[in-house]
Amino acid sequence: MSYIPISEKDRKEMLERIGVGSIEELFCCIPENIRLKELLNLPGPLSEPEVLQYFQEKGEKNLYGQYLSFLGGGAYDHFIPAVVDYLSSRGEFVTPYTPYQPEVSQGTLQVIFEFQTLICQLTGLDIANASLYDGATGAAEAVLMASRVKGGRRLLVASNLNPEYRQVIYTYTRNLDLEVVEIPYDRSGRIDRAGLEAALNSQTSVLLCQSPNYFGVVEDLKSLGEIAHAHQAMLAVVISEPLSLGLLEAPGKLGADIVTGEAQSFGLPLSFGGPYLGFMACRKEFVRQMPGRIAGQTVDAEGRRGFVLTLSTREQHIRREKATSNICTNQAHCALRATIYLETLGRQGLKKLAWINLQKAAYALEKLTSIPGVKRKFTGPVFNEFVLEFPAEWETISRKLEERGILGGLSLGKFYPGLDNCALITVTEKHSREKIDHFARVLEEVLR
Amino acid sequence: MYPENLFYTKDHEWLRLEGEEAVVGITDFAQKQLGDIIYVDLPQVGKTLEAHQTLGSVESVKSVSDIYSPVSGEVIEVNSELAQTPDLINRDPYGQGWLVRLKIKDKDELNNLMKAAEYEKYLEGLEH
Amino acid sequence: MINVIREPLIFEISSPGKTAFRLPPLDVPENPRALEGLPLREDIDGFPEVSETEVTRHFTRLSQMNYCVDFGFYPLGSCTMKYNPKINEKVASLGSLIDIHPLAPESLVQGNLELMKTLERLLCEITGMDAVTLQPAAGAHGELTGMMLIRAYHQAHGNPRKYVLIPDSAHGTNPSSAHICGYVVKEIKSNERGTISLEELEKEMTEEVAALMVTNPNTLGVFESDICRIADIVHAKGGFVYMDGANLNALAGITRPGDMKVDVLHLNLHKTFSTPHGGGGPGSGPVAVKKILEPYLPVPVIEEKDGRYYLNYNRPQSIGRVKSFYGHFQVMLKALAYILTLGPAGLREMTEIAVLNSNYIRKSLEGIYHLKYDAPTLHECVFSDKYQKEFGITNLDICKRLLDYGLHPPTMSFPLIVHGALMIEPTETESRRDLDLFIEAMKAIDREARENPELLRTAPHITYVRRLDEVQAARNPVLRWEKK
């Protein structure tokens, strides 16, 4: 089955019009010695029911669904309202290309414009782009952008930034003349002030930090911004749980110059890691250094409002090697889902959902730390994730929990020496009181 | 279309000599090729430039063109009006659409530039 | 499309107190101390408040303003806008595959790891390469990854080298990706056939050149017949051949990049392997390499031992990560479903008909539209507006007029080596009837260019909006809605 609507008769007539005897002749430009003599060694063809069955069988090998999971750390399990799947599945949203012909792409363009507006409202910044690949590449793009704006080669990155994001920053900056310096964290789980002050110098372009950070702790962005700005550096903030913005002050109002992050929480399934949704917002004066597509408002020949992709001279298809980034696509369909999600929840819904997450996490934190030997690791305030310290190595405890059907949290020892006894635990609206209580009971049993 | 009192470059910049100083802009041909100009990137005052060094760039909706300094010198003034109204370059390329004022380092470099008649001939060659 | 209703922005129909979703009540005791120490916001200023009916109508109406493959012919050159099979969407929404946290223990996600490994193996077979990473998020991201692998190799051998050679017909992401890898781009001029000139290449290829980036067939749809000699020239100086696999729909099942001595290439699952474009993403840009570059692949690498699958992070020579987790898993599922559905004979037929359809259009429009390069073409062909320009008509006018015929225009003004380019890629999933509709429309537009050019200059006439003022959009950027 090749989804080909050309009949044998069509083929013959088309070859006649072209003036060749066979399809084979159309490939005459490919030298004989590199042409395949046989069919490729591939499985198939499979019929539709066979394809479905194939994937269902693989699905049965995934046992994850049988477990109660408290995993987060950059990918969050939130409830997705039915309208999100229903509306985003429309072929008119799924099957168009990038809106290069704006007259027949007003749907996609207006969605992007609304998405940009929502991101600005949430982050408290002036402008936002049409999206980036994910939170990790967004963080890398943010430090590159800051170095273009400021010109300094020193980039300060918080050590409590998501480890995978840090790895991507290293990969992206390795071949450029830039220096990445990691800033330590303190007992509260926040960026260490003394460490930050010591690392700042006149060559510093940016301080990139995450809030809530990888330990779930909310940073004091206002004072971080003041310190960075006092050294003429920018403050870039990564948000990997954007639901927190339903409750927490917008980073732009606290001094952030760039806010970037991961918006998977807004209506995207966990999907084993992708596709997710990177976003980026910044102050107006930096717009020309912003990577990625941007939609803007204009008028048509009759004076009616319409939307187009704009400021595209920043981009690779025009500026080639001098472009702000090599990014070409955005995550348009993921941004559509986020837009539908946010507009469905709305102003009250988002606030309330954020509050529910916060309350459930607070309940779980209290419940779990009442178990003998379990301590809260960091003193800083948290949103829906927190780090607990256990009397033994988390890997061992985690395995015992797994045997009892629970994925208790992410191990921190792999990325943070000295935190081998610690785990990052995430609670969302999907965790009922019953599930949290069950987790606490089993944990107590395991630790006994 | 190509004032007699100006000097021209192959990259379509013009230069007007004013004593020891030079005013630089882009030609009518260049602004027509670019179309509606939406943004101009100009150097900082005080910057010193070599002849042929990139001085800045002009952007239309779908293109970016670098502008090169016709002669060596120091930037002593830039046309700040262009930040708000870049289309001055389209409307009045030799007047209000000027880009920068330079303090010329070496007047001999002017000999490397074209006069109006030469430039027009050069353009004819391009069109074929 | 319904053109009557002018759909406002959601913010303009918002009214306080409305919501389209009801949250369950809090089932734990409220803890006022939970808010302690947090910088709370007062409000989300301007955030919308609407009902579910309003959300549904809003997005349904917006969708109706979009042209899409499900609606009609979409011949964007180099974009491979083929039909997106619906079974693939179903597969990619199976809860047992996608409701899974990416950091779940390997033992609980064996099915997913097996699916990814299977896709890697099939892509190796299709491309003739030795190893694949599925991590890159899109084609440009794949290019970046591929160039990083090349740099890592050179670095490990003492000298990262300085230059990357790129033909002037290349896509803009090529030079941009090379630049971000710290390379200086040298452009190679195309010859009179529109392909790489061997003399030019010999001249530019030195031991300071890290790689040649080549698109094959190139953006004109012309196959680089000298590809093996090109590779020999590059290899002789210790460089690598990077192939942009955007045009694999012209080759799959017929020939393999690996057999053409290519060292590394990226694929676009959203082109060749039919995953939908979604209005501009998400894509997926796996990178395939020969053995020599395998040690440098991004971590983690999926490995199999005795039927169990593992994620290997312990790869000291790896370039590191290029994104979070493992790539666009849902997109991979769709591509895998597609390859399994087609099978080996179907994949070959896919390519054959893509090339047949393109040549049918080329032959039908030859003489009516100007063809700058007359070399044989595969899956796409590039005309220009040269003949119509005599009547003051540009490729933009032709494209906008096509919209009035209910058709999506070809790619405009690319490649840069053809002035006024119209780059047409029909793909294999178009019927003869749809091809003929396009051909007839293009002929009619040529007649209109002579008889009534004003009709073209003011086109489109029947779309939801008329031609949009892009100058105003860029000069006075309005990039978000603001409360009055």
Side-chain angles (χ1 to χ4, degrees):
Chain A
M1 174 76 176
S2 319
Y3 304 101
I4 288 170
I6 300 281
S7 69
E8 275 306 321
K9 180 165 162 278
D10 290 333
R11 251 174 242 220
K12 238 180 93 214
E13 289 171 8
M14 289 164 75
L15 286 170
E16 260 167 45
R17 169 141 5 143
I18 297 168
V20 293
S22 69
I23 288 182
E24 183 79 9
E25 282 178 48
L26 296 173
F27 290 93
C28 61
C29 50
I30 302 180
E32 203 51 51
N33 64 328
I34 54 169
R35 278 218 242 159
L36 288 167
K37 306 292 178 289
E38 297 163 13
L39 287 177
L40 291 167
N41 180 19
L42 298 172
L46 299 188
S47 66
E48 188 163 322
E50 287 168 325
V51 168
L52 189 60
Q53 193 189 343
Y54 173 86
F55 283 92
Q56 280 167 339
E57 280 170 13
K58 302 300 176 222
E60 283 161 20
K61 294 188 184 177
N62 291 327
L63 308 176
Y64 177 83
Q66 302 164 16
Y67 288 72
L68 170 60
S69 165
F70 291 88
L71 305 182
Y76 301 96
D77 190 11
H78 291 295
F79 187 85
I80 300 173
V83 280
V84 176
D85 283 327
Y86 179 85
L87 292 171
S88 68
S89 314
R90 293 182 65 87
E92 298 93 330
F93 286 133
V94 175
T95 72
Y97 194 67
T98 300
Y100 285 142
Q101 294 289 341
E103 295 85 353
V104 290
S105 313
Q106 285 300 299
T108 298
L109 286 160
Q110 184 167 332
V111 170
I112 295 174
F113 190 79
E114 292 186 7
F115 173 77
Q116 289 173 181
T117 305
L118 294 164
I119 293 297
C120 289
Q121 291 168 340
L122 286 172
T123 58
L125 285 167
D126 306 321
I127 53 162
N129 70 12
S131 69
L132 297 167
Y133 301 137
D134 67 359
T137 56
E141 292 281 7
V143 295
L144 294 181
M145 175 176 165
S147 74
R148 286 193 298 273
V149 171
K150 289 289 177 181
R153 54 182 296 278
R154 193 172 166 91
L155 314 168
L156 306 188
V157 173
S159 59
N160 54 19
L161 169 67
N162 185 315
E164 292 201 355
Y165 291 21
R166 274 183 284 141
Q167 289 170 346
V168 174
I169 290 173
Y170 283 117
T171 308
Y172 267 66
T173 53
R174 178 184 298 166
N175 303 318
L176 305 170
D177 182 28
L178 297 168
E179 177 193 16
V180 178
V181 179
E182 289 200 14
I183 310 298
Y185 58 88
D186 65 16
R187 280 187 52 244
S188 71
R190 290 173 162 179
I191 288 180
D192 180 66
R193 291 313 137 88
L196 173 60
E197 293 274 6
L200 278 157
N201 67 19
S202 64
Q203 274 300 300
T204 308
S205 284
V206 65
L207 165 65
L208 180 86
C209 66
Q210 179 180 338
S211 184
N213 61 36
Y214 194 65
F215 303 141
V217 176
V218 178
E219 292 282 354
D220 180 0
L221 296 178
K222 192 150 186 286
S223 74
L224 292 177
E226 283 162 6
I227 297 171
H229 293 154
H231 289 79
Q232 274 71 53
M234 294 169 92
L235 176 66
V237 177
V238 172
I239 307 278
S240 85
E241 175 45 298
L243 180 59
S244 61
L245 295 176
L247 215 51
L248 302 182
E249 182 57 288
K253 297 236 166 86
L254 297 169
D257 301 291
I258 302 172
V259 176
T260 185
E262 173 59 67
Q264 175 267 330
S265 282
F266 294 155
L268 274 73
L270 285 168
S271 301
F272 202 48
Y276 285 0
L277 174 60
F279 65 89
M280 186 183 269
C282 69
R283 299 197 185 284
K284 220 174 18 228
E285 57 263 40
F286 307 130
V287 62
R288 292 198 167 264
Q289 294 304 333
M290 175 96 116
R293 289 177 183 148
I294 301 178
Q297 181 180 310
T298 186
V299 291
D300 78 352
E302 292 176 21
R304 294 175 298 196
R305 176 168 68 187
F307 303 93
V308 293
L309 291 178
T310 191
L311 302 178
S312 45
T313 47
R314 297 165 300 113
E315 295 179 67
Q316 46 72 28
H317 61 101
I318 291 172
R319 208 174 281 240
R320 297 173 86 85
E321 69 264 33
K322 290 182 190 159
T324 52
S325 163
N326 78 324
I327 195 167
C328 178
T329 48
N330 60 346
Q331 301 284 93
H333 196 260
C334 304
L336 164 77
R337 289 185 68 101
T339 306
I340 300 170
Y341 179 88
L342 290 172
E343 294 178 2
T344 297
L345 260 68
R347 185 165 144 235
Q348 298 305 330
L350 195 74
K351 262 193 209 159
K352 182 157 180 221
L353 183 63
W355 179 79
I356 290 176
N357 272 252
L358 177 96
Q359 288 295 342
K360 293 220 171 201
Y363 175 77
L365 181 60
E366 203 171 279
K367 194 90 193 166
L368 296 170
T369 48
S370 69
I371 299 169
V374 180
K375 285 187 306 194
R376 180 175 182 168
K377 176 68 187 171
F378 299 112
T379 56
V382 299
F383 175 61
N384 65 355
E385 294 183 278
F386 49 84
V387 175
L388 294 184
E389 188 170 22
F390 299 88
E393 266 200 13
W394 171 249
E395 293 285 356
T396 319
I397 299 168
S398 173
R399 259 196 303 279
K400 288 186 186 161
L401 285 169
E402 199 182 314
E403 284 162 15
R404 292 162 176 79
I406 292 175
L407 301 173
L410 292 174
S411 160
L412 291 175
K414 193 161 59 168
F415 300 110
Y416 298 95
L419 296 188
D420 299 310
N421 290 7
C422 297
L424 175 68
I425 291 157
T426 306
V427 183
T428 76
E429 76 281 5
K430 284 182 107 173
H431 295 103
S432 63
R433 178 177 184 162
E434 215 172 286
K435 287 177 180 170
I436 298 168
D437 290 347
H438 175 66
F439 179 25
R441 263 196 313 275
V442 176
L443 181 64
E444 192 163 4
E445 208 178 284
V446 162
L447 291 177
R448 206 174 287 149
Chain B
M1 230 183 346
Y2 300 101
E4 294 288 336
N5 60 333
L6 304 183
F7 294 91
Y8 297 89
T9 72
K10 285 187 175 175
D11 300 312
H12 312 288
E13 291 93 10
W14 56 258
L15 178 151
R16 187 170 62 238
L17 191 62
E18 293 185 358
E20 300 305 307
E21 296 172 7
V23 180
V24 175
I26 65 168
T27 68
D28 187 58
F29 175 83
Q31 71 81 14
K32 279 203 179 113
Q33 288 285 308
L34 280 161
D36 294 308
I37 288 164
I38 56 149
Y39 183 73
V40 186
D41 188 26
L42 294 175
Q44 299 263 326
V45 170
K47 186 171 181 176
T48 51
L49 295 163
E50 297 293 314
H52 310 301
Q53 193 183 335
T54 308
L55 170 159
S57 62
V58 284
E59 296 182 10
S60 62
V61 173
K62 299 248 155 94
S63 72
V64 187
S65 291
D66 282 336
I67 305 161
Y68 303 97
S69 186
V71 293
S72 308
E74 183 191 335
V75 179
I76 51 175
E77 194 184 350
V78 299
N79 186 352
S80 53
E81 292 289 303
L82 296 177
Q84 285 308 309
T85 42
D87 50 320
L88 286 174
I89 297 174
N90 294 118
R91 295 203 303 250
D92 187 8
Y94 304 112
Q96 292 180 73
W98 66 279
L99 300 174
V100 297
R101 182 181 284 274
L102 298 172
K103 175 125 186 92
I104 301 178
K105 189 177 159 201
D106 178 5
K107 271 196 179 175
D108 284 352
E109 285 179 0
L110 293 174
N111 297 331
N112 304 331
L113 304 178
M114 290 182 273
K115 295 282 174 47
E118 283 174 85
Y119 180 64
E120 274 182 72
K121 202 169 259 171
Y122 169 70
L123 289 182
E124 272 170 38
L126 288 185
E127 273 154 22
H128 289 296
Chain C
M1 288 184 215
I2 301 165
N3 287 341
V4 193
I5 299 170
R6 311 303 301 177
E7 184 59 15
L9 291 162
I10 198 88
F11 312 100
E12 295 162 342
I13 56 172
S14 164
S15 56
K18 283 191 194 174
T19 177
F21 185 65
R22 211 159 35 164
L23 292 154
L26 187 68
D27 64 351
V28 298
E30 187 179 341
N31 181 350
R33 275 178 302 134
L35 296 167
E36 270 171 27
L38 291 171
L40 300 178
R41 74 194 297 162
E42 274 178 21
D43 194 9
I44 314 169
D45 206 22
F47 225 59
E49 294 176 270
V50 290
S51 66
E52 185 170 331
T53 323
E54 286 164 308
V55 167
T56 301
R57 293 212 175 130
H58 180 62
F59 285 97
T60 302
R61 288 172 190 174
L62 288 180
S63 77
Q64 289 173 337
M65 301 171 197
N66 276 354
Y67 191 95
C68 62
V69 175
D70 278 359
F71 178 85
F73 190 46
Y74 215 131
L76 279 176
S78 268
C79 300
T80 317
M81 296 298 289
K82 61 172 73 178
Y83 175 70
N84 310 123
K86 305 314 169 205
I87 178 65
N88 301 354
E89 298 302 305
K90 182 159 184 164
V91 159
S93 62
L94 290 174
S96 59
L97 302 176
I98 67 160
D99 292 336
I100 295 186
H101 195 283
L103 300 177
E106 287 160 7
S107 57
L108 306 187
V109 294
Q110 285 293 304
N112 280 0
L113 294 177
E114 184 183 342
L115 287 168
M116 289 168 69
K117 194 71 206 172
T118 304
L119 179 61
E120 283 184 7
R121 286 176 179 147
L122 301 189
L123 293 177
C124 280
E125 168 66 10
I126 292 168
T127 56
M129 306 296 279
D130 299 321
V132 164
T133 173
L134 300 171
Q135 202 176 102
H141 204 217
E143 281 175 29
L144 181 62
T145 307
M147 292 311 293
M148 283 173 174
L149 299 174
I150 289 172
R151 189 169 179 112
Y153 175 92
H154 286 307
Q155 189 90 55
H157 290 76
N159 177 8
R161 303 194 172 197
K162 196 169 170 197
Y163 301 103
V164 168
L165 305 181
I166 301 178
D168 53 7
S169 58
H171 197 265
T173 50
N174 287 187
S176 179
S177 301
H179 178 75
I180 296 176
C181 280
Y183 285 117
V184 177
V185 173
K186 270 197 186 172
E187 199 171 86
I188 307 245
K189 284 219 176 344
S190 300
N191 62 21
E192 67 287 348
R193 286 183 80 242
T195 54
I196 292 175
S197 144
L198 292 179
E199 295 81 62
E200 182 92 0
L201 179 65
E202 294 257 27
K203 205 172 72 200
E204 297 291 347
M205 189 64 216
T206 67
E207 276 164 13
E208 273 300 290
V209 174
L212 165 75
M213 292 182 90
V214 55
T215 307
N216 199 18
N218 67 17
T219 55
L220 296 167
V222 178
F223 189 82
E224 297 279 358
S225 303
D226 290 326
I227 184 69
C228 290
R229 284 170 64 200
I230 288 172
D232 288 341
I233 294 169
V234 174
H235 290 156
K237 301 282 182 190
F240 287 102
V241 178
Y242 181 97
M243 181 170 138
D244 182 328
N247 294 338
L248 196 70
N249 216 49
L251 306 178
I254 304 286
T255 177
R256 309 194 299 175
D259 301 337
M260 302 168 199
K261 305 187 182 181
V262 165
D263 302 295
V264 47
L265 85 154
H266 79 264
L267 306 168
N268 300 82
L269 298 187
H270 48 286
K271 294 180 181 175
T272 319
F273 300 101
S274 89
T275 75
H277 285 75
S284 177
V287 171
V289 296
K290 289 277 173 65
K291 267 248 142 15
I292 186 170
L293 291 172
E294 193 180 357
Y296 308 97
L297 288 178
V299 283
V301 167
I302 306 165
E303 286 172 8
E304 187 206 337
K305 208 173 142 199
D306 307 326
R308 302 296 289 172
Y309 296 86
Y310 303 88
L311 292 166
N312 184 357
Y313 289 85
N314 184 19
R315 311 252 310 169
Q317 289 183 285
S318 165
I319 58 166
R321 275 190 170 281
V322 294
K323 83 181 288 300
S324 282
F325 312 121
Y326 326 112
H328 289 168
F329 180 68
Q330 271 184 311
V331 181
M332 298 170 204
L333 294 178
K334 297 177 195 186
L336 179 57
Y338 181 72
I339 296 169
L340 293 174
T341 299
L342 260 57
L347 201 74
R348 187 186 167 99
E349 192 187 20
M350 159 195 106
T351 303
E352 288 175 343
I353 302 300
V355 172
L356 175 72
N357 283 357
S358 166
N359 277 282
Y360 179 70
I361 287 180
R362 174 175 163 167
K363 191 71 187 182
S364 304
L365 293 178
E366 240 171 27
I368 299 165
Y369 288 88
H370 177 249
L371 201 60
K372 183 173 171 189
Y373 296 97
D374 68 353
T377 46
L378 292 172
H379 69 306
E380 64 190 3
C381 53
V382 182
F383 288 99
S384 86
D385 59 10
K386 191 173 176 190
Y387 299 151
Q388 289 71 28
K389 250 200 187 125
E390 290 173 31
F391 307 94
I393 291 301
T394 66
N395 58 344
L396 181 76
D397 303 323
I398 294 165
C399 286
K400 294 303 179 197
R401 184 61 182 154
L402 267 170
L403 299 174
D404 285 335
Y405 283 84
L407 294 163
H408 198 282
T411 296
M412 261 182 350
S413 307
F414 184 82
L416 304 177
I417 57 172
V418 178
H419 288 289
L422 293 160
M423 185 192 205
I424 303 166
E425 180 182 6
T427 84
E428 73 283 2
T429 57
E430 294 305 319
S431 69
R432 173 119 180 254
R433 185 171 151 264
D434 281 310
L435 297 174
D436 285 338
L437 271 176
F438 174 74
I439 291 163
E440 290 315 312
M442 287 294 283
K443 287 180 177 169
I445 289 171
D446 169 60
R447 281 194 301 274
E448 289 170 351
R450 292 148 208 281
E451 290 157 12
N452 189 1
E454 203 47 31
L455 190 63
L456 272 62
R457 267 182 232 120
T458 53
H461 300 273
I462 60 159
T463 43
Y464 179 77
V465 287
R466 299 281 301 279
R467 223 179 267 205
L468 289 152
D469 187 346
E470 299 199 40
V471 174
Q472 182 184 324
R475 260 188 203 155
N476 307 302
V478 177
L479 309 177
R480 61 174 292 191
W481 172 84
E482 268 179 288
K483 200 152 71 174
K484 295 252 159 54

